[in-house]
Amino acid sequence: LKVREHEQTLPAEPSTTGSARSPRRLSEDRVRQFRIRMSLLIAGQVLVLTLLGYQWKVVVANYFHQDELAMAEYIALFYAATDALIVLTQFFLAGRLLDRYGARPQLVLLPVVLLVIGLVSLGASSPLSWLVLMTLARGAIVLRRSLHDPALASTYRVLGRRHARDTVMFTNGLIKPGAEAVASLVILIGAARLSGVHLTWLWLLLTLPWIVISLRFAQSARHARERS
């Protein structure tokens, strides 16, 4: 009797099926919507940055003309400075911003900065002003590698391991190469026809849907995280 009384006073063990709360998984429709928006975001990013990178190289070549040594020194200095800024930003700033503000500001910051620089560059009139502005635009890779890409990677966790793996394979294996191929084709066809202003207008206009998609995607990621 004492044993039975003791057993009756023991607290009931939590059920592994009923009372234990497990994170809810996203429905297939929401996973599909999430994947589509992420694909559009990545495609917009690749298109803009590929066109911008090409324009930056053209501007650098036009400014330095035949002075290959000066051009090599400039490019080396550019990559040394941007790589140093990327390391410093990731070490001291990226994690804190992501923890405090979430992914949305960091996803939107890059296209907004490029939009502003692109609008200013439309009024550029000298080779030096073009060089400065395109260097600033190209220098936005600091924002991409230290803030934008880590914020984008943090959103994969809401998908679960299997869906996250499939999404990475889809975006890296199909969306990125496809967008790069499209941008390269545009450059190939328009290399002899597009002026610097026309090329700026091209990637500048692409930043607008990129911003909208980033906002929508960040909203989807936040809602998915709240439901999980």
Side-chain angles (χ1 to χ4, degrees):
L1 291 175
K2 290 183 179 180
V3 174
R4 290 180 180 178
E5 290 175 359
H6 177 70
E7 289 177 350
Q8 291 175 357
T9 59
L10 289 176
E13 295 182 1
S15 172
T16 58
T17 58
S19 60
R21 183 179 178 182
S22 59
R24 292 184 295 175
R25 295 181 179 180
L26 295 178
S27 65
E28 292 296 328
D29 289 340
R30 291 194 176 277
V31 169
R32 189 180 304 109
Q33 182 185 57
F34 188 94
R35 188 174 296 168
I36 290 173
R37 289 181 177 178
M38 174 174 281
S39 299
L40 292 174
L41 188 154
I42 292 175
Q45 171 193 321
V46 172
L47 286 171
V48 171
L49 295 183
T50 302
L51 294 172
L52 175 59
Y54 167 75
Q55 185 178 13
W56 174 68
K57 293 176 182 178
V58 172
V59 169
V60 170
N62 290 337
Y63 181 81
F64 288 100
H65 296 292
Q66 303 298 324
D67 194 346
E68 296 182 358
L69 178 60
M71 183 167 62
E73 292 175 347
Y74 163 82
I75 294 176
L77 179 61
F78 172 83
Y79 282 113
T82 53
D83 288 343
L85 287 174
I86 289 169
V87 172
L88 291 174
T89 305
Q90 285 186 332
F91 189 77
F92 292 105
L93 195 60
R96 297 178 182 179
L97 291 177
L98 189 61
D99 292 339
R100 184 168 184 178
Y101 300 107
R104 184 174 184 176
Q106 299 183 68
L107 292 177
V108 177
L109 179 61
L110 175 58
V112 168
V113 168
L114 293 178
L115 177 64
V116 172
I117 296 175
L119 290 173
V120 174
S121 66
L122 293 176
S125 57
S126 66
L128 179 59
S129 61
W130 273 108
L131 179 67
V132 171
L133 290 169
M134 288 300 102
T135 299
L136 289 175
R138 180 59 176 168
I141 59 174
V142 174
L143 299 178
R144 180 182 70 81
R145 293 176 59 184
S146 62
L147 298 178
H148 184 276
D149 287 357
L152 185 62
S154 70
T155 63
Y156 282 99
R157 71 184 66 174
V158 303
L159 295 175
R161 181 175 298 179
R162 181 175 66 85
H163 289 306
R165 183 185 65 246
D166 294 343
T167 302
V168 170
M169 293 174 61
F170 179 71
T171 54
N172 290 345
L174 181 63
I175 300 301
K176 284 185 178 180
E180 289 173 351
V182 171
S184 300
L185 185 61
V186 171
I187 293 171
L188 178 63
I189 295 175
R193 304 176 184 178
L194 295 176
S195 64
V197 175
H198 292 152
L199 193 57
T200 301
W201 270 113
L202 183 58
W203 62 259
L204 184 60
L205 292 175
L206 288 173
T207 59
L208 297 176
W210 181 10
I211 293 173
V212 175
I213 293 168
S214 297
L215 291 171
R216 297 292 299 275
F217 174 76
Q219 184 179 12
S220 298
R222 186 185 63 184
H223 290 167
R225 186 171 60 251
E226 291 173 352
R227 290 187 177 93
S228 62

